[in-house]
Amino acid sequence: MTEPLGIRAESLSMTYRVPVRESGLGAAFRSLWRRQIRTVTALDAVDLQVRPGESVGLIGPNGAGKTTLMKILAGILKPTGGTARVLDQDPFQRRPEQLRRIALVRGSQPLGGAPELTVMDSLRYQGLVFDVPPARFTQNLDELVELLGIGRLLDRQVRALSLGERMRAGLAMALVYRPQVLFLDEPTIGLDVSAAVRTREFLRKYVVHTGATMILTSHYMTDVAELCPRVVLINHGTKLYDGDLTGLTDRVRHDKLVEVRLADGAALPDGLEGVEKNGRYELSVARDQVAPTIGRLLAGATVLDLSVREAPLDVLMDEIYRREPR
Amino acid sequence: MTRLLQLFRLGVVRQFLSWSGAWWFVVALAAGQILPPLIGLAVWRTVFPGSAQVSTYYLALLFTVATTASYENHTFSQGIYKGTLADELVKPQPVIMLPLSENVAVRAWIGLVAVPVIVLVGAMLTVPFEPGALLVALPFWLGAGLLRFLFTWCLAMTAFWSERVHAITAFGTTTLYLLGGNAVPINLLPSFWGDLARLLPFYSMLGLPADAAAGQAVQAGTAAIVQIGWLVLLGLAARTLWLRGLRRFTAVGG
């Protein structure tokens, strides 16, 4: 017996036809009767299988095809090739019973609809549109109010909310009908550090609590690292990697960073090289040389402080993205 | 069906509440609707001094214009431009609920602003209305409301293909003003042009209910056939535009 799948995409492709022309007045006039069209490939035969309850991060540079993939899975875009199934349904059919089981949250616009309404008005409307029985609505709302800390926002107009408050209210709107699949497009974009931390904490709790499947795109690697045990790297519409984040970073960097603070005026022992920053040295050390290097440091200098860490994720991702020309 | 009606009612209430925060904009919209017929009333009363028919017609026209106003070029088109239409596509309800409920809510607001003005003008001019004529006008008024919505929605849906939808709707609004009985009552046109204008959709949107309410000779059967015919045609046009536009929207993204 095969394991049930939350999401299955096979050879999913998406191409756009975009008008192009040379610059200048003459070309503009010529384009009136001789239009040139170029086909742009946003997704190229992408396969993806996600089990129920799994959290997957879609990563890749701008224009890689992440949002296109997410919109296809949410039923907003119709693919030009391949097939997609979400909870065993074709998402583009947009059947009401299917739409009641999925949610799409866009960080750039977490709260759609009427900005003059209060958050509670919007939530009630959402509950009715998604056919949530009153008792269940109250129960879900109580939980969300507690988890998201939005009690004080309920009687405020949407237009008067800050971006962080909008995101929390937007999450409540998307989750008040308890969707089984969450599509999150840049959920922490524009949020300050505290708001981003709270949003991530909430999402982690929600997924554990409800067993929901989550697909997330984000340029903030902290979101992906904290929320998604599995990442899918997409670039130029092609899937380049599917696995855990460590596996991806191991492909790029074979070193760790050793940061050390020495006693005043001390230099690094002979044979060791590092970059000095604010009285500290940062050494890039091959993974199998970390212990011997620390031994040499401790033996050859007066070490006041020492730490070993991975290269920052953003730096690693930059290296990965740069490997392929855009 | 009950659920659809409930969703529609909710949508109207939600949009009505939403527009309450833009009352100054509503006042501006209402003024934009009622000024042209008010000017028409002043001009044609000067041309035909003491004519009760002109006053009654323009007062009924004022009511029709205000209560059938449609602004899908401001509302629905913006959803296409901003991509927020995508949010509606992932809701388990027909997407037409959005423009339809917003249309009714905006009309209610404009009616609230405009009707006191109309009552005041009517009281100042002591305009007579026959209850029987108002009853005849009622179905034509309902048809006009639906027709004007479909007409504006069709024009607004060109936003799927063009970013210049306001130019297209401005042309539609001007045509409606000139041929709908606003600039000139259709009954005052030479017979050939009057007969032609009565066959066009614009008269069914404005002049027809006003003529009927003013008790002017209206061939009700013919007028109903013309109005229903345009309702069917514009309904089919709206459906075609929606399906094709949606295909385009879902092909290029929101």
Side-chain angles (χ1 to χ4, degrees):
Chain A
M1 190 176 149
T2 53
E3 195 179 0
L5 282 173
I7 294 168
R8 183 202 295 269
E10 284 174 2
S11 298
L12 218 49
S13 299
M14 186 74 189
T15 54
Y16 299 112
R17 283 161 54 81
V18 293
V20 289
R21 67 169 171 80
E22 290 169 15
S23 64
L25 197 59
F29 275 114
R30 278 196 299 278
S31 73
L32 290 175
W33 64 87
R34 271 183 67 180
R35 225 171 169 213
Q36 286 181 296
I37 300 290
R38 181 185 298 156
T39 302
V40 175
T41 302
L43 276 185
D44 188 9
V46 170
D47 293 322
L48 180 69
Q49 297 192 343
V50 182
R51 291 187 309 278
E54 200 174 8
S55 294
V56 177
L58 298 180
I59 55 173
N62 287 332
K66 311 179 297 290
T67 303
T68 301
L69 176 57
M70 187 173 275
K71 283 183 171 178
I72 290 173
L73 295 175
I76 292 171
L77 288 181
K78 185 172 170 47
T80 48
T83 56
R85 306 286 290 176
V86 175
L87 299 171
D88 213 24
Q89 300 251 353
D90 175 359
F92 193 68
Q93 295 289 319
R94 290 198 295 271
R95 296 179 199 281
E97 67 271 18
Q98 163 86 344
L99 295 174
R100 286 188 197 102
R101 297 161 75 197
I102 66 165
L104 171 69
V105 180
R106 296 191 292 170
S108 57
Q109 212 155 23
L111 264 176
E116 311 297 338
L117 296 184
T118 66
V119 173
M120 192 62 202
D121 283 334
S122 302
L123 283 164
R124 282 216 177 98
Y125 180 70
Q126 189 82 338
L128 289 161
V129 168
F130 282 85
D131 224 2
V132 187
R136 198 174 148 212
F137 174 82
T138 309
Q139 185 192 338
N140 291 352
L141 183 61
D142 288 347
E143 283 179 20
L144 289 168
V145 165
E146 192 185 326
L147 278 168
L148 286 162
I150 56 168
R152 291 166 65 91
L153 304 183
L154 294 177
D155 60 353
R156 287 185 43 198
Q157 282 186 316
V158 167
R159 68 173 180 178
L161 301 180
S162 69
L163 188 59
E165 290 168 339
R166 268 170 200 254
M167 177 45 75
R168 282 189 283 151
L171 282 170
M173 290 272 286
L175 304 178
V176 76
Y177 55 94
R178 277 289 167 87
Q180 291 167 255
V181 177
L182 285 180
F183 296 106
L184 303 169
D185 189 12
E186 304 278 357
T188 59
I189 193 166
L191 298 186
D192 64 38
V193 177
S194 302
V197 167
R198 287 182 70 174
T199 302
R200 283 195 291 270
E201 276 176 10
F202 166 75
L203 288 171
R204 192 170 38 236
K205 280 181 191 168
Y206 181 84
V207 168
V208 170
H209 185 57
T210 63
T213 308
M214 181 169 75
I215 302 274
L216 174 143
T217 73
S218 182
H219 287 299
Y220 300 128
M221 288 313 296
T222 316
D223 291 352
V224 180
E226 289 192 11
L227 293 171
C228 305
R230 178 180 162 198
V231 294
V232 172
L233 171 66
I234 296 176
N235 201 1
H236 301 299
T238 308
K239 189 170 84 172
L240 299 177
Y241 176 83
D242 187 344
D244 63 21
L245 196 56
T246 315
L248 181 62
T249 54
D250 284 351
R251 282 187 172 195
V252 191
R253 294 288 287 247
H254 305 289
D255 64 340
K256 286 199 171 197
L257 297 178
V258 176
E259 196 175 87
V260 62
R261 189 156 72 89
L262 303 177
D264 283 347
L268 286 172
D270 288 344
L272 291 179
E273 287 182 9
V275 181
E276 190 184 0
K277 282 183 195 169
N278 304 323
R280 289 169 179 269
Y281 287 97
E282 191 177 86
L283 294 81
S284 170
V285 181
R287 286 172 190 269
D288 58 358
Q289 290 299 311
V290 171
T293 302
I294 291 173
R296 286 175 65 188
L297 277 167
L298 293 172
T302 309
V303 175
L304 299 178
D305 189 15
L306 186 146
S307 65
V308 181
R309 57 187 169 83
E310 298 282 354
L313 273 173
D314 292 336
V315 174
L316 290 171
M317 296 320 296
D318 177 51
E319 284 186 28
I320 291 167
Y321 295 166
R322 280 169 191 262
R323 285 187 167 193
E324 281 199 49
R326 293 189 186 190
Chain B
M1 191 63 188
T2 316
R3 176 172 154 75
L4 284 181
L5 283 174
Q6 192 192 18
L7 286 172
F8 175 67
R9 187 182 62 80
L10 267 168
V12 173
V13 172
R14 180 170 173 257
Q15 292 294 348
F16 189 82
L17 278 172
S18 169
W19 277 74
S20 66
W23 61 268
W24 50 271
F25 187 52
V26 171
V27 170
L29 290 179
Q33 290 293 331
I34 62 177
L35 271 177
L38 273 177
I39 293 168
L41 173 66
V43 169
W44 289 105
R45 268 176 60 88
T46 311
V47 176
F48 299 103
S51 166
Q53 270 199 335
V54 164
S55 303
T56 317
Y57 171 80
Y58 266 105
L59 211 65
L61 188 74
L62 266 168
F63 180 79
T64 307
V65 165
T67 54
T68 61
S70 294
Y71 293 101
E72 279 62 47
N73 52 317
H74 288 299
T75 56
F76 191 76
S77 302
Q78 290 303 315
I80 298 171
Y81 291 151
K82 291 180 184 171
T84 51
L85 181 64
D87 297 330
E88 299 304 316
L89 294 179
V90 291
K91 284 183 183 161
Q93 66 172 354
V95 177
I96 195 175
M97 283 292 179
L98 175 75
L100 202 56
S101 57
E102 187 157 22
N103 180 285
V104 172
V106 174
R107 284 178 185 181
W109 270 115
I110 292 182
L112 275 177
V113 176
V115 166
V117 178
I118 297 167
V119 170
L120 189 69
V121 173
M124 283 165 61
L125 301 176
T126 57
V127 177
F129 276 106
E130 292 291 331
L134 293 178
L135 269 181
V136 173
L138 183 65
F140 289 131
W141 172 73
L142 289 171
L146 193 52
L147 201 53
R148 216 172 150 191
F149 163 73
L150 287 173
F151 178 65
T152 316
W153 192 38
C154 281
L155 296 179
M157 277 193 282
T158 56
F160 282 120
W161 293 272
S162 164
E163 290 186 3
R164 304 277 184 270
V165 75
H166 283 300
I168 297 163
T169 46
F171 175 73
T173 309
T174 307
T175 313
L176 181 62
Y177 172 73
L178 293 173
L179 300 174
N182 203 336
V184 186
I186 300 301
N187 284 337
L188 296 179
L189 290 176
S191 62
F192 171 77
W193 295 110
D195 290 344
L196 184 67
R198 283 186 194 91
L199 290 175
L200 296 174
F202 312 106
Y203 177 68
S204 291
M205 289 183 219
L206 292 182
L208 174 61
D211 269 340
Q216 306 217 13
V218 171
Q219 291 180 315
T222 312
I225 289 169
V226 171
Q227 194 181 51
I228 291 168
W230 281 114
L231 277 169
V232 171
L233 270 177
L234 281 178
L236 288 173
R239 183 181 153 75
T240 307
L241 281 167
W242 169 247
L243 291 177
R244 291 196 173 191
L246 190 62
R247 203 181 306 157
R248 183 179 165 81
F249 186 80
T250 56
V252 299

